[in-house]
Amino acid sequence: MNILHVVGARPNFMKIAPIMGAIARVGFARQRLVHTGQHYDASMSDVFFSDLGMPRPDIHLGVGSGSHAEQTAKVLVGFEAVCRDEHPDLVVVAGDVNSTLACALDAAKLCIPCAHVEAGLRSRDMTMPEEVNRLVTDRVCELLFTPSPDADENLLKEGTDPAHIHLVGNVMIDTLMAHLPKARATGTPERLGVLPGSYAVMTLHRPSNVDDRDTFAGLLDAVAHVQRFLPVVFPVHPRTRSRLDEFSLTPRLTQMSNVKLCAPLGYLEFLGLTSQAKLVLTDSGGLQEETTALGVPCLTLRENTERPVTVTHGTNTLVGTDPQAIIGAADRALASRCAPRFVPLWDGHASDRIASVIQSWWSASARSVA
Ligand code: UD1
């Protein structure tokens, strides 16, 4: 069996790495890795390969940045040629980035079965580019690997054939559990000048938060409050860095004496940092899940989440972007105690279950051809 795995942007690496490892352990397939090049800075891409012990990509498309249409179109054209050369029996895509959508679409048009890891998540917010990507990807994929029962329900409500849906759990948590001891050993809090257990971590990169000056400025008002009580470490995403400059907000942030700005961190350093934080403020999807597994309170600075299980079973609170609401929620979170939460099947073995489903699916396909 020939499997072609796709990675493109930062959140893809930690989802594909454990699946490649699990399939390699069983040893039933030849695996090749394609990097679309959607993310290309060393800190947004290369560091994840070394941190996660991932094989280097066999094929690099080098698409880079651009508008949604440009980026998606470049991946579509590049990956179609790869599929024609490689003749994969299965394409594996993960998450909800533009590369995910483009490669799933290529596979569908070439009648190559495609598996979607992290299927069925829905924010029901069609202004999010990721929601469009999730909907279309799930529609055209044959194997839908879901992280939690709410995702199964979403797919069933949309009329998906239940035979395509496989509830396997969360592969990001496989990666987290496997790397936590190494991550803690990086000493990242100390290197950034904060004491373990006594700081907040903030990440922001959603266009809805950072591409609108008023919303972004309001978020900084909330940060100005939080940093009076504990240091806030803020690794700045490239999109966010350019908006801070464009909106002339950088000086406002650098004037806050207890905010520590840094470049985007690698996987191990970032996990080392968040795992010892007192509070996380974020608009990331994956971080809502990681903080749930780590037992760190997470305030999600968005109006909706495609990961409701992190609110119902986890440590996540959806607070929106109103500065007063964020301040109130931060004060409450800091006054309360928090412990790691267990979501069923977020147990470190989701990728083993994925490998097992793929192997059975392949045996069944081979039998039906015979
Ligand atoms: C993308 C994903 C988003 C994911 C995020 C994780 C889509 C639609 N969005 O958003 O779902 O949560 O990645 O980071 O796929 N840039 C660099 N260096 C890089 C990559 C990007 O400088 O290595 C800059 C470029 O100016 C680029 C901008 O960041 O225009 C945005 O990058 P892009 O990949 O378009 O979207 P993200 O905001 O990173």
Side-chain angles (χ1 to χ4, degrees):
M1 180 183 191
N2 280 323
I3 301 179
L4 211 47
H5 297 274
V6 176
V7 291
R10 189 166 61 173
N12 293 153
F13 306 119
M14 48 283 221
K15 294 171 191 164
I16 293 295
I19 298 171
M20 290 189 78
I23 293 173
R25 279 194 297 279
V26 187
F28 62 89
R30 169 183 180 262
Q31 307 189 78
R32 303 263 287 162
L33 179 62
V34 180
H35 191 329
T36 66
Q38 176 172 345
H39 283 173
Y40 43 86
D41 285 352
S43 63
M44 300 289 284
S45 175
D46 297 7
V47 66
F48 290 86
F49 286 85
S50 38
D51 277 2
L52 300 172
M54 246 179 129
R56 293 277 139 191
D58 299 289
I59 299 156
H60 205 296
L61 300 179
V63 301
S65 300
S67 69
H68 286 277
E70 285 165 343
Q71 196 171 60
T72 310
K74 280 186 195 162
V75 180
L76 266 170
V77 173
F79 190 67
E80 182 187 55
V82 172
C83 287
R84 288 193 192 285
D85 287 346
E86 296 280 325
H87 303 290
D89 299 303
L90 182 71
V91 168
V92 179
V93 298
D96 53 21
V97 302
N98 287 341
S99 302
T100 311
L101 163 74
C103 296
L105 212 46
D106 270 328
K109 295 280 182 79
L110 294 168
C111 298
I112 300 166
C114 187
H116 184 206
V117 178
E118 203 182 83
L121 298 186
R122 298 288 181 266
S123 67
R124 302 196 166 71
D125 176 358
M126 289 299 282
T127 67
M128 275 182 91
E130 292 82 3
E131 184 72 354
V132 179
N133 294 346
R134 292 181 198 113
L135 278 161
V136 180
T137 303
D138 283 340
R139 202 68 219 150
V140 299
C141 280
E142 171 152 351
L143 292 174
L144 298 168
F145 293 119
T146 56
S148 47
D150 55 291
D152 292 40
E153 281 166 32
N154 292 333
L155 291 167
L156 291 171
K157 270 191 225 144
E158 290 166 10
T160 307
D161 180 346
H164 294 318
I165 306 171
H166 303 272
L167 177 58
V168 292
N170 192 324
V171 288
M172 290 251 296
I173 306 303
D174 293 9
T175 303
L176 181 149
M177 287 181 174
H179 291 86
L180 192 54
K182 242 199 259 175
R184 283 183 180 258
T186 56
T188 307
E190 294 83 352
R191 185 175 68 74
L192 294 172
V194 288
L195 289 174
S198 335
Y199 56 89
V201 176
M202 180 167 79
T203 77
L204 291 173
H205 75 284
R206 294 279 158 211
S208 57
N209 280 342
V210 303
D211 288 2
D212 180 89
R213 191 186 189 283
D214 292 344
T215 308
F216 200 174
L219 294 174
L220 296 188
D221 289 342
V223 180
H225 171 88
V226 175
Q227 59 97 44
R228 281 196 217 117
F229 303 95
L230 82 171
V232 177
V233 182
F234 183 14
V236 187
H237 184 282
R239 171 191 287 278
T240 310
R241 170 80 61 192
S242 9
R243 295 301 175 266
L244 279 169
D245 292 341
E246 185 185 327
F247 298 147
S248 307
L249 288 170
T250 307
R252 172 145 172 57
L253 201 51
T254 49
Q255 275 156 18
M256 297 181 202
S257 57
N258 225 5
V259 171
K260 296 179 184 295
L261 300 174
C262 62
L265 298 173
Y267 181 77
L268 292 176
E269 285 195 314
F270 190 64
L271 179 58
L273 186 68
T274 49
S275 65
Q276 296 171 87
K278 195 166 172 58
L279 180 69
V280 165
L281 302 109
T282 191
D283 58 13
S284 151
L287 201 41
Q288 296 171 46
E289 299 177 335
E290 290 167 333
T291 46
T292 280
L294 292 167
V296 174
C298 175
L299 305 183
T300 295
L301 312 181
R302 289 171 45 190
E303 304 300 335
N304 50 58
T305 178
E306 61 287 339
R307 292 161 163 92
V309 76
T310 60
V311 177
T312 55
H313 290 62
T315 60
N316 188 19
T317 310
L318 204 52
V319 290
T321 53
D322 172 58
Q324 288 313 315
I326 299 170
I327 290 169
D331 290 344
R332 282 191 296 281
L334 290 174
S336 62
R337 289 173 66 84
C338 206
R341 308 288 167 85
F342 181 70
V343 179
L345 298 178
W346 293 22
D347 58 358
H349 296 290
S351 41
D352 296 320
R353 287 186 280 271
I354 289 178
S356 158
V357 172
I358 292 177
Q359 191 178 21
S360 309
W361 169 85
W362 176 242
S363 307
S365 320
R367 271 199 304 277
S368 69
V369 171

